[in-house]
Amino acid sequence: MSIGWGYALALKSDGTVVGWGRNDYGKATPPVNLHDATAVAAGWNHSLVLRKDGTVISWGNNDHGQADRPPALFGVTAVAARGDHSLALKQDGTVIGWGDNNSGQAQPPSGLTGVTAIAAGSSHSLALKGDGTVVGWGSNNSGQAQPPSGLTGVTAIAAGFGHSLALKRDGTVVGWGDNSAGGTTPPPGLSDATAIAAGCPHSMAIKADGTLVSWGGRADGADIPPPGLTTVSAIAAGCGENLAVRR
């Protein structure tokens, strides 16, 4: 599942996709007869779906070319979107970007290979490499595209509006970038995280016991999980709203 600007997408076990919320540009309306999806990604106003055959479908707003897939895009294993740009991870460990590139967010660094996961922020992008290191590019006005020196042992990444997160093998979480609302400062003692998500400006993590921890929100309550929320298996963070899947 993924949250865009006022809307959300969810992938069902049968390979179909459901969208809801604001539907300007048709962004919340998946193509008819789509039944072989394996992943979804929502930008501000455009949507991406990865299909079982390694191809990508996109729809919604295309004013920056964010919904206009590069020619002959195939062999894709993961997709990411936020803001007005899109990313695709290929089987060979390379990354392709398209859409808004005003801060270089859609242009992966030359020679970037060995990538195992990708994340798209509002105007920056992240890649996790097989050696557990992280590469960032795009807007760095708050340091969000510059991983901390010596950061290794990373197993998952997340990119928010102006900050970034990394989940380490030991279950700890590292944050960097805009910390004006505390989104890059995980709660003290958090050491058993299994998944992470970055919103704007809050952050979330699933703990090993299936409970949810959130931090760095504002007055909208986005950093306050519902009382009694347990058995969480997946999360998505937006701007003032969140989604959680329960087992």
Side-chain angles (χ1 to χ4, degrees):
M1 59 187 172
S2 185
I3 299 176
W5 194 264
Y7 79 112
L9 300 174
L11 172 64
K12 299 185 67 176
S13 59
D14 63 0
T16 59
V17 176
V18 178
W20 65 96
R22 289 182 54 175
N23 198 34
D24 39 330
Y25 307 105
K27 60 191 179 185
T29 303
V32 177
N33 296 325
L34 176 62
H35 57 80
D36 58 353
T38 60
V40 295
W44 285 158
N45 290 299
H46 74 291
S47 302
L48 303 179
V49 164
L50 174 61
R51 301 181 67 185
K52 189 180 299 184
D53 63 1
T55 61
V56 178
I57 296 176
S58 53
W59 67 93
N61 188 27
N62 196 41
D63 59 349
H64 293 282
Q66 63 268 46
D68 191 6
R69 304 173 307 283
L73 180 62
F74 58 89
V76 176
T77 61
V79 289
R82 206 160 201 154
D84 292 320
H85 75 291
S86 305
L87 301 175
L89 172 61
K90 300 196 68 177
Q91 288 173 338
D92 62 3
T94 61
V95 179
I96 295 176
W98 64 97
D100 185 13
N101 196 41
N102 66 333
S103 297
Q105 66 267 46
Q107 186 175 342
S110 177
L112 179 62
T113 60
V115 176
T116 59
I118 52 176
S122 178
S123 56
H124 75 290
S125 302
L126 301 176
L128 172 61
K129 299 192 68 176
D131 62 1
T133 61
V134 179
V135 177
W137 64 94
S139 177
N140 197 42
N141 59 337
S142 297
Q144 66 268 43
Q146 185 175 345
S149 177
L151 179 63
T152 60
V154 175
T155 61
I157 51 176
F161 185 80
H163 74 290
S164 303
L165 300 176
L167 173 62
K168 300 192 68 176
R169 274 194 297 266
D170 61 5
T172 60
V173 178
V174 177
W176 63 96
D178 180 18
N179 198 38
S180 58
T184 68
T185 305
L190 179 60
S191 60
D192 60 348
T194 60
I196 52 175
C200 53
H202 66 291
S203 302
M204 299 192 297
I206 301 175
K207 299 184 67 176
D209 63 1
T211 59
L212 186 62
V213 177
S214 186
W215 64 95
R218 296 196 177 111
D220 56 14
D223 62 327
I224 304 175
L229 180 60
T230 59
T231 65
V232 177
S233 60
I235 50 176
C239 286
E241 65 278 320
N242 304 299
L243 294 175
V245 174
R246 300 182 67 180
R247 292 191 288 269

